[in-house]
Amino acid sequence: MKLRITIQACVFALLSLLGGVVMAQGQRVTGTVIDDAGEGLPGVSIIIKGTTSGTVTDLDGKFSVEANSSDVLTFSFVGYVTKEVEVNGRSAIDIQMQPDVTSLEEVVVVGYGTQKKSDIISSVASVNTDQILKVPSTDMGEMLRGKVAGVFVTTDNAGPGGSTNLLIRGKRTLANFDGTDSNAPIIIADGVQIGGINDVNPNDIESMEILKDAAAQAIYGARASNGVVLITTKRGKKGETRVNYNGYYGVQSVNRTFDIYSAEEFAQLKREAFRTDNNDNYLNDADIFTATEYEVLQSGEYIDWEKELLRVAPIQSHNLSVSTGTERTTAYAAINYNNQEGVIPGTDFDRINIRLNADQKINDWLKLGVNTSWQLSNKNNPGTGGTLQSAITTSPLGKIYNEDGSYKVNPTDQQESFNPLLDISEVVNFEEDRNDIMNVFLDISPIKGFNYRINASRRSWNRKTENYNSTASLTGLRNSGTGTGYLRYQDSEQFQLENIITYDLPLDGSKHGVNITAVQSMMEENYNDTRIRGAGIPNDLLGIYGLETALTFLPEVGGNQKQLLSYVGRVQYDYDGRYYINASFRGDGSSVFGANNKWAYFPAVAVGWNIYRENFMTSLDMVSNLKLRASYGSVGNTAIPAYRSQALAVQRDYLFNDQKSVGYIAGSELPNPDLRWETSTTLNLALDFGLFTNRISGTVEWYDTRTTDLLVRQSVDVPGYSSTLSNIGEVQNRGLELALNAIVVETQDFNFSLGANITRNRNEIISLYGEDADGDGVEDDDIANRWFIGRPIDVTYGYLPVGIFQYGEDIANSHQPDQQPGTVKLYDRDPEDGLLNDTDRVIRNTAADWYGSFTANAGYKGFDLSATVYTVQGVLRNNPFLYGYNEGGSLRGIYNGVKQDYWTPENQTGNWPRPSEANDPDYIWTLGMQDASYIRLQNVTLGYTLPSSVLERINMTKIRVYVSGQNLFTWTDFQSYSPEKNPNDYPEARTIIGGLQIAF
């Protein structure tokens, strides 16, 4: 109690400092405000309704205010239900305030059902949809960055219409087949599995939950090993028609966190490189520079390739929605348009989303519903990876244009260096996507608590790709001035039919609660892929549609079918809202696995204890929520494409009677009829807490996940075959998650809150093939794949640089006797052996030590301000631009590159080796591993909402204007446009937008 009073006193003192109190004229009203335990409540805001006049209670909960007899006093305090009291001529008014348990009674979506937040005993994280809409992005994954503990978001493609990778609680599988991310979670929208998180318009989302432990995921069985994201879209509501608009317009720019050599610095680098190979003597500039380079060096007309390439680009989004409903019919409709121009010319993205959700109550026991969405998008990206690389590596000592105004192919006359601007206008890479979802359901509720739903859906995805390299493109020039390209058509169609029974047992008057869920599900997916390639197209008159004139012509046709049949059962029991137990079981049969292991079974159990509801907690009134949770269960991962457990045939052409014939031979992969599921089994322990009527709240969660029967491609010694897909080994993920929120101040006019979430995950390979070829009693590592027993999945294995050799060192008697001053010095594990060998190689973890975000929110009257800082710590990334020849990192003076402090006889403190024109410096590649930790000011948003008194006069319910900045500043040692990507990957843009929200 003393602690509570102390904190309340601090709150009162802070509120008092925020400003004086304006008193209304009239009689003096005094009184005391107490809490539900009868204690005086300090810091309660007391406002005369319809004015800004009022006061706050003192340390004992007492107050005094001037008010008229007809006034209404509004009493509010964070964590308590707001109360309005009429004065009615009274001079003394005493008030008892009750805790606001609304947050604990919120309904949260779980697999095949809903639960009150207070009843959740598995690891289910709810995402604040208002917060994600503050992020100006076309990518939903980027909007989730830093919002949920245990969810690691990394950039996959930062270009227009790009996407991110979601990793929930660490990497658990070694599989990566055909470029498919086998660690990605599944996305379920309104009960339908969709292709990706960007299939849904963020403005249409009513709620989003992320299932993180096996007890929450097990009901999705074979698909859930890497986590589940549940999305529920908005529906119409009974009452007046509501119209909402949310739109923004802004600009994007690039903030580079590294330097490249300026023209003078590159010229000096080239001189030093030639000097090294000329007995330490400088050559004349005319002897080492091309004629064009020498001319530009003399004139000083240098090229800033980044300035020529990158631009400030616009981005905009507009969303209009309508919600309406009667007693029997409700509907929600929305249309959204996104347009993003790229910071690299020639790149852009357009997307339109249309949604219609409707519900029809036919009678008291029968309801029909439909969820539909249509998405159309276009994207242009003419191969910017090579363009960005050229912008970094092409010498600034060159010319962009020829005399006739055309692009100069080799700006410096170096045959290895090409104009970065060439392909922007000469390459077309256009994607046109269509994504449709139709979901129809029928609810039958013949008796109280019982519901049967039949849920049918069809999802269709189509993509058309046009790729064309003109006769004047870099590829065209390399192909004797002819065009090349392809047309590609992809389509996927997915059908799902589910029968879902839920039954809340009617135990009226009892403290017992029982819910039963049973599901039968069928899913089928069909995929087709057709590509027509052509090379040697003589001219550009028809572009890619001149494909039929190509000299060589190659059609490619592919496709597959996958099927999944599932049965699910779940029982949830609680007693008096204090003790909980949930048990679930799912069986899945999948067509992609071996004939002997088509089916797998996934059980899970969870228990919970709402401690704060116990009688012995009543004296601890500072505790408003305290719940202990534990769960244990298994989920699966299909992880592989169709047919990979079977024998595959490979086409082979041959000549028969001088005629081309087609035949088939067995593929190189040995079939495995015993191929089975990866299975992840998780123990999860958690504590949810709330203090001072949830003014401080949070969750601490610990988990231990063991993934067995890992799916990998394994080498085999079988005639005619080189590999087979097998189930091997075990991987462990252990982690700790902390989510914390605090409402620091909340008054009638001012509020301020803080939030943080921090995640630490460690994974470790427990076992691989179970082999001990060297007989040392220890299971063998897989060095070729960089998989080591007892180490994380993602590691680097190699020599460790420890500096640069200097004059005066005994190099001849070291483990690198052939080196000289100015070359890379490597770590020597055993200085006595005088050798550089595999024992000197070092294993280093490249995954993050921890990551998290820190958020602040403030509001003053109609103004709102929020800021988020996101950080990732302990990451190592390989940066080829620090050492690669083609990336300009090898210090040979041929390519420009990322600026380094290189060693010379005059600069012996340099931490990079001495340049050499003839050869790459020895072991320079060991310098590529760079600390990619970073701290980023992720988002800042400032908004203003017009007061209700103004809105009522113009018949509006909301008008809010705002400005927002995304990816504003990044502090990192990693030398790239982004600490998550290499310098030739599309740069992450800084975005500044202005927006408007209207509702009526």
Side-chain angles (χ1 to χ4, degrees), residues 123-332:
S123 186
V124 179
S126 296
V127 179
N128 187 321
T129 53
D130 291 334
Q131 290 296 319
I132 66 175
L133 289 176
K134 291 181 179 181
V135 180
S137 175
T138 59
D139 176 35
M140 175 79 75
E142 185 61 40
M143 296 178 178
L144 284 175
R145 189 188 292 262
K147 300 297 188 294
V148 179
V151 179
F152 190 39
V153 180
T154 55
T155 301
D156 180 39
N157 177 8
S163 59
T164 48
N165 298 314
L166 300 182
L167 186 64
I168 297 176
R169 290 189 166 181
K171 194 171 183 178
R172 348 189 146 180
T173 181
L174 305 175
N176 189 343
F177 300 110
D178 303 328
T180 302
D181 183 5
S182 300
N183 286 282
I186 61 167
I187 315 297
I188 308 290
D190 296 323
V192 178
Q193 182 174 343
I194 59 178
I197 200 166
N198 290 322
D199 289 357
V200 179
N201 169 22
N203 293 274
D204 291 340
I205 295 177
E206 180 71 26
S207 67
M208 180 187 294
E209 278 76 33
I210 297 177
L211 313 186
K212 298 190 293 183
D213 72 339
Q217 300 163 353
I219 202 163
Y220 290 103
R223 302 171 288 166
S225 176
N226 300 309
V228 182
V229 178
L230 297 181
I231 295 173
T232 302
T233 58
K234 295 176 180 177
R235 313 199 70 77
K237 297 179 180 179
K238 182 179 67 175
E240 295 182 357
T241 299
R242 301 287 184 182
V243 179
N244 288 273
Y245 168 80
N246 182 15
Y248 63 77
Y249 183 90
V251 294
Q252 308 158 92
S253 59
V254 173
N255 178 32
R256 190 179 68 191
T257 59
F258 65 98
D259 292 321
I260 60 175
Y261 298 103
S262 66
E264 293 87 352
E265 290 168 339
F266 175 72
Q268 187 58 31
L269 169 64
K270 195 160 191 170
R271 295 184 185 110
E272 291 293 343
F274 277 86
R275 172 194 178 189
T276 300
D277 301 319
N278 191 45
N279 296 320
D280 211 25
N281 295 313
Y282 287 111
L283 295 175
N284 294 323
D285 282 356
D287 294 328
I288 62 175
F289 293 100
T290 66
T292 299
E293 286 180 314
Y294 189 73
E295 177 187 342
V296 172
L297 192 60
Q298 297 299 313
S299 67
E301 297 177 353
Y302 309 134
I303 303 173
D304 184 341
W305 287 112
E306 182 182 273
K307 184 178 179 181
E308 297 291 335
L309 178 65
L310 301 180
R311 65 180 180 180
V312 174
I315 183 173
Q316 60 182 310
S317 176
H318 305 278
N319 190 85
L320 182 66
S321 66
V322 179
S323 174
T324 188
T326 64
E327 288 289 340
R328 290 190 171 273
T329 305
T330 61
Y332 171 86

Side-chain angles (χ1 to χ4, degrees), residues 132-138 246-253 313-317 338-340 939-943 960-968 989-997:
I132 66 175
L133 289 176
K134 291 181 179 181
V135 180
S137 175
T138 59
N246 182 15
Y248 63 77
Y249 183 90
V251 294
Q252 308 158 92
S253 59
I315 183 173
Q316 60 182 310
S317 176
N338 284 286
N339 172 262
Q340 182 181 11
N939 180 269
V940 175
T941 299
L942 174 64
R960 177 177 178 263
V961 293
Y962 63 95
V963 292
S964 182
Q966 177 73 9
N967 190 21
L968 293 172
R990 173 195 289 140
T991 305
I992 307 291
I993 60 104
L996 174 66
Q997 294 173 334

